[in-house]
Amino acid sequence: MPKHYDLSKCQTVSEMLSRIGDKWSVLVIMMLGDGPSRFSDLKRAVVGVSQRMLTLTLRALERDGLVKRTVYPTVPPRVEYELTELGQSLRGPIQAVGGWVFNNHDKIHAARTDFDKRNNIEHADTKLARLG
Amino acid sequence: MPKHYDLSKCQTVSEMLSRIGDKWSVLVIMMLGDGPSRFSDLKRAVVGVSQRMLTLTLRALERDGLVKRTVYPTVPPRVEYELTELGQSLRGPIQAVGGWVFNNHDKIHAARTDFDKRNNIEHADTKLARLG
DNA sequence: CGGCATCCTCTGGGATACTG
DNA sequence: CAGTATCCCAGAGGATGCCG
């Protein structure tokens, strides 16, 4: 196969990474990983998420077929969310990235520190040069 | 091991997914996958990216230690970008997600269409109900 | 050529208040 | 309890112009 990347495929990957790479989707998927959960429980579990964003996140995941929403018409109302089969199947790939991040977190952090250090030094140089 | 998810790990994963899940990083990483590339070449290859965003994306990747930037002080200036070893090692996990997206693209699309259809119907119902 | 600086717009997302 | 609706702001990102 000649060197050739399917651009549309790359863009789809990029798009989907943007979708689940938003602020809350991964957290929610992970929390739903071990079974159904109610809205309030999710809200408690995913620390820091607002009611609005949890709703929007769940709707988006539901739309993509990753999450199933079940309403029990009791009073007070009870709504349960769970991963679909499709949603479950995404856990593997996500954890592949997750494992990479975990294993390389130190290198990344070191690289950032190093980069910032150099940058500050360069800036200092520039400043000194500018001051004559 | 009891049911227990390391929240900070999940958040790190989420954070990193947000970082590389931005609008351009994956495209750039993929384009750099088969060797060094100059700024203008990258700009041409990554269709739609603005000069500004390509610069910012490359800086962020460089800061994370995923991309190496080499300046050849010729005239006109020549700058080459390439994946570091760390950057190369990220291609695997990304392609894991990429493969998943590729394999399940149809299901996702179908789920979206279905969801939107239901939603429109529900909205139509609501409208009718409201009109009495 | 390979940027940085500036301006402007549009969207993500938080806070709050209201409903069934 | 599980949302919806509204307001608001910070930051992402495009367009343009200047520079070494």
Side-chain angles (χ1 to χ4, degrees):
Chain A
M1 193 170 74
K3 163 181 154 182
H4 169 70
Y5 288 118
D6 185 338
L7 188 60
S8 71
K9 179 176 174 180
C10 289
Q11 287 175 335
T12 306
V13 173
S14 186
E15 183 201 330
M16 202 58 196
L17 273 180
S18 295
R19 262 274 22 258
I20 65 167
D22 67 7
K23 203 170 176 183
W24 304 110
S25 290
V26 169
L27 271 344
V28 170
I29 290 175
M30 287 307 184
M31 289 302 170
L32 289 177
D34 43 25
S37 186
R38 303 183 53 171
F39 186 87
S40 325
D41 294 336
L42 270 179
K43 177 140 172 38
R44 253 184 303 278
V46 182
V47 179
V49 71
S50 66
Q51 190 185 39
R52 169 185 146 84
M53 285 318 295
L54 182 55
T55 303
L56 290 181
T57 301
L58 286 168
R59 286 290 176 282
L61 293 176
E62 190 192 357
R63 187 173 111 95
D64 287 346
L66 302 176
V67 161
K68 179 163 176 257
R69 177 172 179 268
T70 311
V71 181
Y72 300 93
T74 60
V75 41
R78 175 190 183 84
V79 181
E80 276 196 352
Y81 294 91
E82 62 189 312
L83 290 184
T84 62
E85 231 177 277
L86 190 61
Q88 286 287 350
S89 73
L90 180 55
R91 292 180 70 202
I94 282 185
Q95 282 172 356
V97 180
W100 184 91
V101 171
F102 196 72
N103 291 329
N104 295 286
H105 184 271
D106 290 349
K107 291 184 187 172
I108 296 174
H109 198 73
R112 288 183 180 174
T113 305
D114 192 52
F115 182 91
D116 293 344
K117 202 176 59 187
R118 288 175 202 262
N119 233 287
N120 285 334
I121 290 174
E122 282 172 24
H123 284 169
D125 284 354
T126 308
K127 270 184 193 166
L128 288 174
R130 211 171 306 170
L131 290 173
Chain B
M1 195 170 74
K3 160 181 154 183
H4 169 71
Y5 288 118
D6 185 338
L7 188 61
S8 71
K9 179 175 174 179
C10 289
Q11 287 175 333
T12 306
V13 173
S14 186
E15 180 202 332
M16 204 56 197
L17 273 180
S18 294
R19 262 274 23 258
I20 66 168
D22 67 8
K23 206 169 177 184
W24 304 111
S25 289
V26 168
L27 270 343
V28 170
I29 291 174
M30 287 308 183
M31 288 305 169
L32 290 178
D34 43 24
S37 186
R38 302 184 54 172
F39 186 88
S40 323
D41 295 336
L42 269 179
K43 178 143 171 38
R44 254 184 304 276
V46 182
V47 179
V49 71
S50 66
Q51 188 186 43
R52 169 186 145 84
M53 286 317 296
L54 183 55
T55 303
L56 290 181
T57 301
L58 286 168
R59 285 292 175 282
L61 293 176
E62 189 192 357
R63 187 173 112 97
D64 286 347
L66 302 175
V67 162
K68 179 162 176 257
R69 178 173 179 267
T70 312
V71 181
Y72 300 94
T74 60
V75 45
R78 174 190 184 85
V79 181
E80 276 196 352
Y81 294 91
E82 62 187 316
L83 291 183
T84 61
E85 230 178 277
L86 190 61
Q88 287 287 350
S89 72
L90 180 55
R91 291 181 70 202
I94 282 185
Q95 282 171 356
V97 179
W100 184 91
V101 171
F102 195 72
N103 291 330
N104 296 286
H105 184 273
D106 291 349
K107 292 183 187 173
I108 295 174
H109 198 72
R112 288 182 180 173
T113 306
D114 191 52
F115 182 90
D116 292 344
K117 203 176 58 186
R118 287 175 204 262
N119 233 286
N120 285 336
I121 289 174
E122 282 173 23
H123 285 172
D125 286 354
T126 309
K127 271 185 194 167
L128 288 174
R130 211 170 307 172
L131 291 173

